[in-house]
Amino acid sequence: MRYAFKVQYIGKNYAGSQIQFRNGKQIETPTVQGELEKAICTLICGKNAVNNKRPVKTVFSGRTDRGVNSLGQVVHFDTDKCIVASKFIYSLNEILPDDISVTDLKEVQPEFHAQKSAKRRHYRFEFINRKCKNAFDGDLMRIKYEIDIERMQDSLNYLLGEHDFSSFKSSGTLNPSKVCFIENAECRRVGDRIVIDITGNRFLYNMVRTIVGTLLEIEGHNLPSSHMKDVLDAKDRRKAGQTVSPFGLTLMEVTY
């Protein structure tokens, strides 16, 4: 049987969402996937099975980097044991670290795939826009110069639709396809915070963070919003802005 659930996590204490390997061997570093699989195996297989080689494997809707948060990551796993959803969720959350929680566990069709079945993904990036720091800013990036929210929105509008996003990809992108469809891209000011929401069918490695870096380059150098189109058309990573900090980036929702 195949089960799927949503995962919420604060990413600052983990080396990304996925278990990592080097030369075919698992790297012993904390990941969200590692914590989830350990907790699931404890409930399904018993504590003695946890030290075995991943007796239960999870599949994520997508990879998130160190420091990136999630409110709507979707994960599936297979087991031959029948699960009572409400009881399993409660027990799982009691075992998991305080910065990881699960919701909405349910049985799904065998052909459901958390990554391949996904139709769109919604990311949000937030940063502070004020000169002085505040003790409650946490890990959010702070931009001291005034942001022109209308120009930022105009810049984002150039990303809508289907494009080759090679200019915004990291060198770590393994998928040869660089074409993505951006359905929605909006920014707004909430007090002294700037909130950027981007929804698309897929995203390249570090794509959202590089888009934000390009927006800040436009704002910081008082460039026209059309600079975003120039960067997009160039299909050259050297034309885009820096890849900003992962703190402030959250995977909000995955839809199927």
Side-chain angles (χ1 to χ4, degrees):
M1 292 174 284
R2 178 160 292 182
Y3 293 88
F5 54 84
K6 290 183 180 179
V7 188
Q8 300 176 346
Y9 51 83
I10 299 172
K12 64 182 297 182
N13 293 324
Y14 302 97
S17 59
Q18 312 294 100
I19 290 175
Q20 300 174 28
F21 295 86
R22 182 182 295 126
N23 298 325
K25 294 184 179 181
Q26 181 176 327
I27 302 174
E28 295 302 322
T29 186
T31 63
V32 178
Q33 184 180 22
E35 294 295 337
L36 275 175
E37 292 184 356
K38 182 169 64 176
I40 292 171
C41 289
T42 297
L43 293 177
I44 291 180
C45 309
K47 293 183 179 180
N48 293 332
V50 174
N51 293 326
N52 293 340
K53 291 187 176 181
R54 303 174 67 195
V56 175
K57 297 182 181 181
T58 56
V59 177
F60 283 51
S61 65
R63 180 185 297 270
T64 59
D65 296 334
R66 179 191 296 270
V68 178
N69 305 322
S70 167
L71 284 175
Q73 177 74 268
V74 177
V75 176
H76 84 248
F77 68 95
D78 296 326
T79 178
D80 57 0
K81 295 188 178 181
C82 184
I83 289 174
V84 178
S86 58
K87 181 178 179 181
F88 195 82
I89 286 178
Y90 176 82
S91 299
L92 200 57
N93 282 325
E94 288 297 302
I95 297 174
L96 286 167
D98 291 340
D99 50 9
I100 303 176
S101 62
V102 300
T103 64
D104 301 331
L105 176 69
K106 62 181 179 181
E107 185 177 356
V108 293
Q109 296 298 318
E111 61 269 19
F112 174 85
H113 193 280
Q115 180 186 24
K116 297 178 181 179
S117 301
K119 300 299 182 184
R120 64 180 62 85
R121 296 163 174 86
H122 170 197
Y123 281 92
R124 173 173 293 170
F125 192 92
E126 298 182 60
F127 64 89
I128 305 295
N129 186 208
R130 85 169 103 75
K131 290 184 179 180
C132 296
K133 73 175 184 179
N134 184 297
F136 292 95
D137 287 346
D139 296 309
L140 292 183
M141 178 174 63
R142 177 166 53 93
I143 301 301
K144 299 179 182 180
Y145 52 81
E146 185 71 15
I147 295 295
D148 183 337
I149 203 72
E150 292 185 1
R151 177 170 53 188
M152 185 172 279
Q153 182 61 60
D154 289 341
S155 300
L156 284 170
N157 289 340
Y158 286 107
L159 303 178
L160 297 176
E162 187 173 77
H163 302 283
D164 182 326
F165 282 87
S166 293
S167 291
F168 303 96
K169 71 177 179 66
S170 169
S171 59
T173 301
L174 298 178
N175 194 320
S177 175
K178 306 303 183 292
V179 176
C180 307
F181 180 84
I182 300 302
E183 178 181 308
N184 182 66
E186 297 180 349
C187 66
R188 65 187 190 277
R189 185 184 296 276
V190 182
D192 54 12
R193 293 192 180 196
I194 304 297
V195 180
I196 302 169
D197 288 287
I198 303 180
T199 302
N201 65 333
R202 60 191 295 267
F203 290 87
L204 307 179
Y205 183 48
N206 285 343
M207 177 173 154
V208 175
R209 292 163 57 192
T210 306
I211 288 173
V212 174
T214 306
L215 288 170
L216 294 179
E217 184 176 76
I218 292 171
E219 292 302 302
H221 293 87
N222 200 27
L223 301 175
S225 58
S226 58
H227 179 73
M228 181 67 82
K229 183 178 188 302
D230 294 338
V231 173
L232 181 67
D233 292 344
K235 300 180 181 63
D236 183 348
R237 175 63 185 88
R238 294 170 296 180
K239 301 296 183 181
Q242 295 183 347
T243 300
V244 298
S245 164
F247 299 122
L249 181 59
T250 301
L251 173 58
M252 301 296 293
E253 184 180 20
V254 182
T255 55
Y256 294 85

